Amino acid sequence: SGEKTICWEEAGQSHKAIEDLVALYYMYPNSEWAPGAIFRAADIYDIHGAPGERDRLFDLLLNKYPGSDESALVREMHSN
């Protein structure tokens, strides 16, 4: 992967994005948007080099929304 140079402002925005996405899941766990929000947050962690946090969210996704498209994607990614 390319060099990971993150300006602080960008990192701050990403952190805020993750918080917003995870908050959406907490406030509306039964929403059709919830699995996508978790997946997106995990993706942001991944971009910023935090695979542990990413995997934690992927586990949450697989446990809470096993039938979702996002969970299918995660299983696909892990089967490679």
Side-chain angles (χ1 to χ4, degrees):
S1 64
E3 246 197 289
K4 289 210 165 99
T5 50
I6 301 165
C7 72
W8 281 110
E9 190 183 325
E10 197 182 302
Q13 283 170 349
S14 293
H15 194 78
K16 176 87 177 75
I18 289 168
E19 282 182 357
D20 290 346
L21 289 162
V22 173
L24 185 110
Y25 154 70
Y26 279 118
M27 289 190 296
Y28 309 106
N30 300 319
S31 159
E32 61 182 304
W33 304 106
I38 295 170
F39 188 85
R40 183 78 193 95
D43 197 42
I44 296 169
Y45 273 132
D46 197 33
I47 291 164
H48 290 289
E53 292 298 319
R54 178 202 63 200
D55 290 345
R56 193 172 58 82
L57 286 179
F58 279 168
D59 285 345
L60 173 70
L61 188 58
L62 292 168
N63 288 323
K64 289 287 268 182
Y65 309 102
S68 70
D69 292 347
E70 288 81 6
S71 286
L73 273 173
V74 171
R75 283 192 291 270
E76 224 169 81
M77 287 157 62
H78 283 275
S79 69
N80 291 341

